[in-house]
Amino acid sequence: MTNDVSNSNALYERAKALIPGGIYGHYGYYVRETGPKFFSKSDGSHFWDVDDNEYIDYMCAYGPMILGYNHPRVDEAALAQLKAGNTVSLASPVMVDLAETLIDMVTAVDWALFSKNGGDGTALAALVARAATGRKKLVKITNGYHGVAAWMQAEGSPGTTLSDSAEVIEIPWNDITALQKVIDQYPNDIAGFISSPYDHTVFSDNTLPAEGYWQEIETLCRKNGIVIIVDEVRTGFRIHLNGANVEYGFTPDLICFGKAIGNGYPLAALTGSDALKQAAQDVYFTGTQFFNAAPMAAARATLLELQEIDGANQMIDYGNRLKQGMVDIASSHGYNLNISGVPAMPYFRLTNVRRRTHAAWIDECVKRGSYMLANHNNFISTAHSDADLKRTFEIVDEAFTAMGPASAQPESTTASA
Ligand SMILES: Cc1ncc(COP(=O)(O)O)c(C=O)c1O
């Protein structure tokens, strides 16, 4: 590690001249002045930036990388399919094989439709819920992210109109009473309830479902004819390989997958119950690239591999060990480190110092070769190794040493705060 990111910065300047924002969207949002901005190569759980600094990658490309970069089984499947044909005038048999593999694995669902991005699936889910119920409104969780379509963006976002979100109602996470109130206010007008399995909002501690929450949601939705849409685009295969709903003990009607399903090859899926199959068939849903066969072959290999190696539990185990070790190291420097969310998607926050100090500590970790984000959940993959864990602990310790003790930070509170 040289800490030098001058090649990244030079590229960023060139990009800004030609590409709005230079680096846009979520990648752009998390650009840090002192951090790397462009990669040169990746392998396993690591990537290298264009200045040749090597990082243990705890963002996993914001989720897609679940088995490690350049995973041989996945790449071989994709390359073989590429050679045989990728984007052709007919569908590929691998689409059927993939559907069978996915439906066998995700126990609550009976069919799958494939697309490219998670947002394709969540948008389709909304259409299916409306088509099936003949109702307009959708209930979502406050600040819950489901993609960039206008109806999913916050009211007043640039380029959207008030009518885009007119039929979307937001309620707080873990709040059954709020859902009951909305149902009372709009009886027979709510088509669907869309939510991630747990609250992984950015810029705040992530919150798991309260005991019995999903069961109560299920009861209320069933009673009132509301379609339950679980957005597993981010969580997919990192909580439970059979669906996060299995972990939390409920049965949804539609589940959206994306990100990790193809270990980085572009693919997303909307899956659903038999009861909604006809509605899914009635809705017009397509895209020029939706039938690319190589990403489907990659996804099938990814899912088979995850099952064979018990991937979710591997990531959960690593996440638990990472959490314990990091919390202890933080504590030895006087810092309270809160790690929230599920083990394979840890959200870090130093609770006894200012947010700025927390971000500075993450920057110190990044500079030393552990790529993490301060205000977004991070991700574990099955490629993260014991050597990565050991090195991460060293980096975390060195980063705290460089920061100095918590008591020396501006506005720090006591370690028990
Ligand atoms: C929970 C959730 N839903 C939907 C999406 C949208 O997926 P995509 O960016 O692939 O369209 C994301 C992306 O981050 C997500 O985290």
Side-chain angles (χ1 to χ4, degrees):
M1 287 296 292
T2 61
N3 284 347
D4 176 19
V5 289
S6 53
N7 289 341
S8 261
N9 287 343
L11 263 174
Y12 191 42
E13 288 311 310
R14 276 174 60 202
K16 278 197 263 188
L18 302 166
I19 298 166
I23 300 173
Y24 47 96
H26 54 307
Y27 277 46
Y29 195 74
Y30 292 100
V31 162
R32 303 277 294 170
E33 186 150 348
T34 58
K37 295 159 192 74
F38 292 88
F39 78 90
S40 60
K41 62 177 182 180
S42 59
D43 193 44
S45 55
H46 293 216
F47 72 81
W48 286 254
D49 68 12
V50 287
D51 293 278
D52 217 23
N53 300 303
E54 180 178 354
Y55 301 87
I56 302 168
D57 188 359
Y58 285 107
M59 278 312 289
C60 298
Y62 292 76
M65 188 278 272
I66 192 166
L67 292 173
Y69 295 115
N70 315 334
H71 190 275
R73 180 174 184 175
V74 177
D75 287 0
E76 272 161 31
L79 282 176
Q81 186 58 55
L82 261 185
K83 281 193 187 136
N86 182 35
T87 310
V88 182
S89 311
L90 297 178
S92 161
V94 76
M95 179 174 82
V96 186
D97 296 338
L98 172 61
E100 281 170 357
T101 303
L102 182 60
I103 300 311
D104 275 355
M105 188 170 166
V106 182
T107 44
V109 294
D110 306 300
W111 54 263
L113 283 170
F114 300 106
S115 58
K116 293 287 103 183
N117 287 293
D120 304 329
T122 52
L124 174 64
L127 296 183
V128 171
R130 286 174 170 148
T133 58
R135 300 172 177 181
K136 293 192 296 286
K137 295 199 183 297
L138 295 166
V139 177
K140 71 183 277 288
I141 301 298
T142 312
N143 296 327
Y145 183 70
H146 303 294
V148 291
W151 69 268
M152 294 180 237
Q153 296 213 12
E155 211 174 276
S157 297
T160 65
T161 66
L162 283 183
S163 64
D164 287 323
S165 49
E167 305 297 352
V168 180
I169 303 162
E170 291 201 328
I171 60 169
W173 169 246
N174 263 341
D175 192 340
I176 295 293
T177 314
L179 181 60
Q180 182 64 65
K181 267 195 199 148
V182 171
I183 293 171
D184 294 343
Q185 199 179 348
Y186 301 104
N188 304 316
D189 209 11
I190 300 171
F193 170 73
I194 181 165
S195 169
S196 303
Y198 75 97
D199 188 33
H200 47 53
T201 315
V202 294
F203 279 90
S204 66
D205 291 341
N206 291 179
T207 317
L208 300 183
E211 188 66 38
Y213 171 74
W214 273 114
Q215 288 69 28
E216 286 186 69
I217 291 283
E218 187 174 11
T219 306
L220 264 185
C221 289
R222 295 277 168 260
K223 198 168 132 199
N224 294 282
I226 298 167
V227 173
I228 304 171
I229 307 163
V230 172
D231 181 350
E232 279 231 64
V233 170
R234 199 179 308 178
T235 55
F237 318 112
R238 282 189 165 92
I239 295 179
H240 199 298
L241 293 185
N242 304 128
N245 56 290
V246 173
E247 179 68 21
Y248 297 137
F250 71 102
T251 307
D253 302 301
L254 296 171
I255 310 179
C256 312
F257 292 103
K259 289 191 182 281
I261 193 171
N263 198 46
Y265 287 86
L267 198 88
L270 178 69
T271 61
S273 66
D274 262 337
L276 293 176
K277 195 171 175 199
Q278 187 59 51
Q281 192 173 325
D282 294 343
V283 165
Y284 188 58
F285 181 67
T286 195
T288 302
Q289 307 294 346
F290 282 9
F291 293 90
N292 302 156
M296 292 181 181
R300 184 156 184 270
T302 301
L303 298 181
L304 291 173
E305 179 74 8
L306 280 170
Q307 290 179 92
E308 280 169 33
I309 65 170
D310 193 15
N313 284 326
Q314 265 193 41
M315 291 180 274
I316 290 167
D317 176 58
Y318 187 97
N320 282 330
R321 289 187 291 144
L322 181 75
K323 177 174 179 167
Q324 193 53 57
M326 283 180 66
V327 167
D328 289 349
I329 294 164
S331 167
S332 72
H333 292 266
Y335 291 86
N336 282 345
L337 174 60
N338 185 44
I339 303 188
S340 56
V342 294
M345 293 171 52
Y347 182 96
F348 306 127
R349 186 170 70 91
L350 296 175
T351 61
N352 58 335
V353 288
R354 295 186 306 178
R355 189 182 280 278
R356 204 180 297 171
T357 307
H358 165 73
W361 165 66
I362 293 283
D363 283 349
E364 292 295 335
C365 292
V366 173
K367 274 192 222 160
R368 288 167 173 76
S370 178
Y371 191 76
M372 302 166 160
L373 289 191
N375 299 305
H376 188 294
N377 70 269
N378 294 258
F379 295 89
I380 310 294
S381 75
T382 63
H384 284 93
S385 64
D386 286 354
D388 288 334
L389 194 66
K390 184 166 170 280
R391 180 65 195 131
T392 305
F393 291 158
E394 287 165 5
I395 288 172
V396 165
D397 195 39
E398 287 163 18
F400 278 126
T401 303
M403 296 283 298
S407 54
Q409 303 302 331
E411 292 168 41
S412 81
T413 51
T414 60
S416 59

